[in-house]
Amino acid sequence: MNSRSISIYQLLLQLMRAVAVVSSSAVAVLSTMLPLFIYYAFSFSTLFFTMLFLLAGAFAVHGVLTHAFNDYSDHLSGTDTLSPALLSGGSRVIQEGRISPDALLTLGKALAGLLLIAAAVAAILGFIPVAVLLVVGVWAAASYSLPPFQFSYTPLAGEWLSLFPSIFVLGLAGPWLILGTVPEWGYQNAAVNALLCLAWVMVHHIPDQKADRRASPVKNTTVVWSVSRFGPAAAKVPALIYLMLAAGCALWIGGDRMWAAAGALIFIGLSLLLVWKMNVHDIQQVTQHEKWLLLLAMAAAVWLGLFI
């Protein structure tokens, strides 16, 4: 492998921020693929290669594409430059001179174009779940960061119009592809995992709130809006609300899946305790709690996949 190939590989690896992708996207896939491995009689190879395909799509869309657009947008507004940049502040590929902003935008647009072409081909060939997954993924990445939508700069919009649909549909994709339909447990697991992802993203935004307010345009995330309206202590409120919504979904699960609900509620309860006790003014502590929230979200997703 020549030095140019190594450089491109390192750029993509840094851009993907694999920790975030594995914790949110990959476990969303695993949570709804595990039941197919455990409780259904499909061949291992069919399930394994379907899961690999979905994981590759997650890394392409949620890893490269989403972060390419987000890094470009946040560099232009200045929030990444001002961010404390622990787990936040973008991938730093622009700040470290690995790629220019225009080149990063071009990379994102090229990848988005390829994914939309692939979606069109999938639709023509009758692979509707694949087409829907790719279109929703591209929509989420572009609408979250790029004008004219740029939903990440508007309270609630970034979560509900971009992030939630993308993670939710990714969670549905496995059973939809294999079974041709989505059973109730698929919707349940996908909903809980998507809400836990939103809660984690809200905590992720807490260290950036000062940088977001100083950005141009102001990155008025739900966290920034909450603090502006209700004071500094409200920085943790969005995460708490999304965790409580996840707990509500877990109670819904409990009607038919007692063990799944019980485990999910334990992990969500621990997450609520972490956020509640978090000192929003201590960036190091917020970052540490964010890491624990990632682990708890992963544990909840796997647990839900074990018990249907």
Side-chain angles (χ1 to χ4, degrees), residues 246-259:
C249 285
L251 290 173
W252 163 42
I253 290 171
D256 298 312
R257 303 166 59 197
M258 183 181 67
W259 284 106

Side-chain angles (χ1 to χ4, degrees), residues 215-291:
S216 181
V218 172
K219 189 172 184 180
N220 194 23
T221 64
T222 306
V223 170
V224 169
W225 178 85
S226 298
V227 171
S228 299
R229 190 170 182 84
F230 302 109
K236 63 178 74 173
V237 169
L240 291 171
I241 290 174
Y242 290 139
L243 287 170
M244 286 188 285
L245 288 174
C249 285
L251 290 173
W252 163 42
I253 290 171
D256 298 312
R257 303 166 59 197
M258 183 181 67
W259 284 106
L265 284 170
I266 289 172
F267 294 123
I268 294 168
L270 291 172
S271 300
L272 280 164
L273 186 62
L274 273 175
V275 175
W276 181 261
K277 288 184 169 294
M278 185 171 59
N279 179 1
V280 297
H281 303 291
D282 185 342
I283 293 175
Q284 294 286 349
Q285 186 190 90
V286 173
T287 301
Q288 190 60 43
H289 283 208
E290 182 182 347
K291 293 175 183 177

Side-chain angles (χ1 to χ4, degrees), residues 19-32:
V19 171
V21 176
V22 168
S23 63
S24 56
S25 304
V27 296
V29 172
L30 185 61
S31 186
T32 49

Side-chain angles (χ1 to χ4, degrees), residues 144 151-165 198 202 205 220-223 225-226 238 241-242 245:
Y144 189 72
F151 290 141
S152 64
Y153 283 63
T154 303
L156 297 176
E159 298 100 276
W160 290 107
L161 298 180
S162 300
L163 293 179
F164 185 89
L198 296 193
M202 293 301 97
H205 284 163
N220 194 23
T221 64
T222 306
V223 170
W225 178 85
S226 298
I241 290 174
Y242 290 139
L245 288 174

